Amino acid sequence: MMRNSLAQTDLNCLLHPQTDPAALAVQGPLILKSGDGVFVSDTSGRRYLEGMSSLWCASLGFNEPRLARAAADQISCLGTYHTFNRRSNPAVIELAERLLALSPMPDGKAIFANSGSEAVDTMIKLAWLYHSGRGAPERRKIISRRRAYHGSTVLGATLSGLPSMRGAFAWPDAGVIFAETPHFYTCAEPGESEEAFADRLVAEIAALIAAEGPDSIAAMIAEPVMGAGGVIIPPAGYFPKLAELLRVNGILLLSDEVICGFGRTGEWFGCQTFGFNPDMMSVAKALSSGYQPIGATLLTAEIYDVVSAEASRLGVLGHGFTYAGHPVTSAVALETLKIYEEMDLLTQVRAQAPVYLEHIKALAEHPLVGDVRAVGLIGAVELVADRATRRPFAVEAGIGARLVTLALDQGLIVRNLGDTIAICPPLIISTAELDLLFTRLRQALDALARETAASQVEEPV
């Protein structure tokens, strides 16, 4: 009775993000009430292996007791405060120090937010402030990429290259220009090597910069691995060449590390995995293992010097969020980083990455799979109707969404990005649990193959 009551109350009261309201009305919500390591359980007691770390973030699983204690201890001491007007607190100070020490900009600065979206907004605002401080306030345009995802604020949606995100939400005439998606499987030309593909993409961006005028462009924002756009891994050599192009044109490179940060790709940050040094970074999600809402923008000392001088000239840094640097969220994030270091997170990820890669490569021969890709412990399986021609399924068939439902039947949570299935398990996952994850995913794929085969059988005359 309680379960039905909760589900109906959900339908009566909640507007769910990133959800089709009509489908929700038919299927109802999946209500999760508890977690244990890499598993979560719903209100009926059914247990699922969580193959998406909630939303790319629960690196430590779903019931880490040290994070619960960190929150409780901080609430009992100083439950809330802000960082405006010179105010600070011990937790946020220590968090900033430890976060910068892990980053590729240890002598830089950190400014906190409540989410990845806000951290991205902060990067863009600081990029504009930076160019204004250098006497170039006309540098306002931002280069993004098709299929990029940079958040759900108005600015984040405008920067995103996904139709579902932009829709009615993108700001018109916002000065955002889009480069091609670095997706080798779908965008490379026949016979083109990865290196040649990377060269072509960077040449196209160079042409875009020339057409727009480099003196009008403030920055380019990029995810090291494009998450919500389909777990798209860049071709070899792409980022170093791109970084050099932007540098010679005076355009800042902003790395959106919201998904890639904190060991997901096998290094602390995705920019380190792919060999480039950004001017600013946005982080969130795994910063607190998703246990508290927190984000941050990191900027190099060179950027900070200009931003600081310009803010002082104006009299104040006219930016901030009430809960940015909140002592409780900071305490939980700080404890998260301590756990990562104590468990030697990078060694653990690097040890499990070959196991993960072997499993995902084994799915490449499945009749419904066109492409598989992975780096560290993030990857994807791309479903196609015809492997030989790479012909996709019709959008209206909803093949990716159907696979997610079949995976739930097997006790596995994954996420479809169209017909691409994302797999991003908690970083604490064991070898046995990886085996179980991919066993259940294959069972779901096999069930989907049987369904699609049956649907193609002609009715007898």
Side-chain angles (χ1 to χ4, degrees):
M1 184 67 178
M2 175 59 73
R3 177 167 59 87
N4 291 337
S5 175
L6 275 174
Q8 191 56 57
T9 301
D10 180 289
L11 292 171
N12 291 345
C13 300
L14 284 180
L15 177 61
H16 284 256
Q18 299 291 342
T19 301
D20 177 353
L24 176 67
V26 174
Q27 299 170 348
L30 174 62
I31 307 173
L32 302 168
K33 69 173 185 177
S34 63
D36 177 20
V38 302
F39 295 89
V40 292
S41 298
D42 65 19
T43 48
S44 70
R46 185 161 190 200
R47 200 165 180 247
Y48 305 87
L49 198 164
E50 228 298 357
M52 272 302 297
S53 300
S54 181
L55 274 178
W56 323 87
C57 54
S59 296
L60 297 176
F62 297 91
N63 66 336
E64 172 50 60
R66 284 178 57 176
L67 300 186
R69 287 195 299 271
D73 290 348
Q74 183 60 54
I75 286 174
S76 68
C77 175
L78 178 67
T80 185
Y81 217 75
H82 62 86
T83 52
F84 286 37
N85 309 115
R86 300 189 303 111
R87 306 313 191 257
S88 195
N89 62 79
V92 75
I93 294 169
E94 189 176 348
L95 173 61
E97 180 183 40
R98 190 173 288 258
L99 177 56
L100 287 166
L102 286 178
S103 81
M105 44 190 75
D107 59 346
K109 289 289 191 292
I111 180 170
F112 288 92
N114 308 299
S115 68
S117 300
E118 290 180 1
V120 164
D121 277 22
T122 301
M123 282 203 299
I124 302 302
K125 292 171 77 174
L126 293 181
W128 288 334
L129 189 62
Y130 168 82
H131 286 296
S132 180
R134 287 177 58 87
E138 68 280 0
R139 283 187 178 260
R140 300 283 295 182
K141 295 176 184 175
I142 307 295
I143 303 173
S144 185
R145 298 181 296 179
R146 297 183 183 91
R147 292 178 66 172
Y149 175 80
H150 295 296
S152 291
T153 59
V154 171
L155 182 52
T158 303
L159 292 166
S160 295
L162 295 169
S164 62
M165 291 302 304
R166 293 178 60 78
F169 304 128
W171 192 266
D173 305 319
V176 178
I177 51 181
F178 289 92
E180 185 55 86
T181 309
H183 188 12
F184 186 73
Y185 178 70
T186 59
C187 297
E189 295 175 351
E192 191 173 34
S193 69
E194 274 198 46
E195 184 176 359
F197 178 50
D199 287 340
R200 177 165 62 83
L201 290 175
V202 174
E204 289 174 0
I205 294 171
L208 181 66
I209 291 170
E212 295 289 335
D215 291 343
S216 71
I217 302 172
M220 179 170 180
I221 185 169
E223 306 156 87
V225 175
M226 299 177 75
V231 191
I232 296 168
I233 299 169
Y238 171 81
F239 271 112
K241 294 169 183 176
L242 174 60
E244 177 60 16
L245 171 67
L246 299 177
R247 186 191 66 78
V248 299
N249 283 282
I251 299 168
L252 300 183
L253 176 51
L254 314 181
S255 186
D256 184 345
E257 298 271 357
V258 170
I259 287 174
C260 295
F262 307 103
R264 177 58 63 182
T265 63
E267 299 286 352
W268 282 116
F269 298 96
C271 60
Q272 295 166 324
T273 297
F274 297 106
F276 69 99
N277 294 313
D279 297 292
M280 286 188 267
M281 296 165 42
S282 58
V283 297
K285 293 190 184 294
L287 174 56
S288 69
S289 190
Y291 281 51
Q292 288 286 292
I294 186 170
T297 297
L298 308 184
L299 53 156
T300 65
E302 292 77 11
I303 301 298
Y304 169 74
D305 288 343
V306 177
V307 164
S308 175
E310 181 67 359
S312 292
R313 186 187 72 80
L314 296 170
V316 67
L317 177 61
H319 170 77
F321 306 100
T322 300
Y323 304 114
H326 191 286
V328 178
T329 60
S330 297
V332 172
L334 176 61
E335 189 69 8
T336 300
L337 297 188
K338 289 179 180 178
I339 294 171
Y340 290 160
E341 293 186 82
E342 290 170 18
M343 68 185 281
D344 194 3
L345 178 68
L346 296 188
T347 297
Q348 179 155 326
V349 172
R350 291 167 185 169
Q352 294 291 18
V355 180
Y356 178 97
L357 184 60
E358 182 180 355
H359 276 299
I360 204 166
K361 282 185 172 179
L363 295 176
E365 299 306 316
H366 194 279
L368 295 182
V369 173
D371 187 43
V372 298
R373 46 192 178 267
V375 58
L377 289 179
I378 183 171
V381 174
E382 190 158 343
L383 308 178
V384 293
D386 188 307
R387 286 164 51 87
T389 63
R390 303 186 179 184
R391 177 173 57 85
F393 285 98
V395 173
E396 57 270 20
I399 289 295
R402 180 57 185 157
L403 181 61
V404 168
T405 299
L406 292 169
L408 283 174
D409 293 342
Q410 298 295 331
L412 173 65
I413 293 176
V414 288
R415 186 180 180 198
N416 72 294
L417 309 165
D419 287 344
T420 295
I421 308 302
I423 310 155
C424 181
L427 299 183
I428 60 168
I429 195 166
S430 68
T431 299
E433 289 164 343
L434 275 174
D435 294 345
L436 181 60
L437 187 162
F438 281 97
T439 295
R440 291 180 175 181
L441 181 57
R442 182 176 286 278
Q443 289 169 341
L445 279 166
D446 290 344
L448 181 61
R450 290 191 293 272
E451 285 188 2
T452 56
S455 67
Q456 293 169 6
V457 174
E458 293 184 0
E459 294 292 329
V461 177

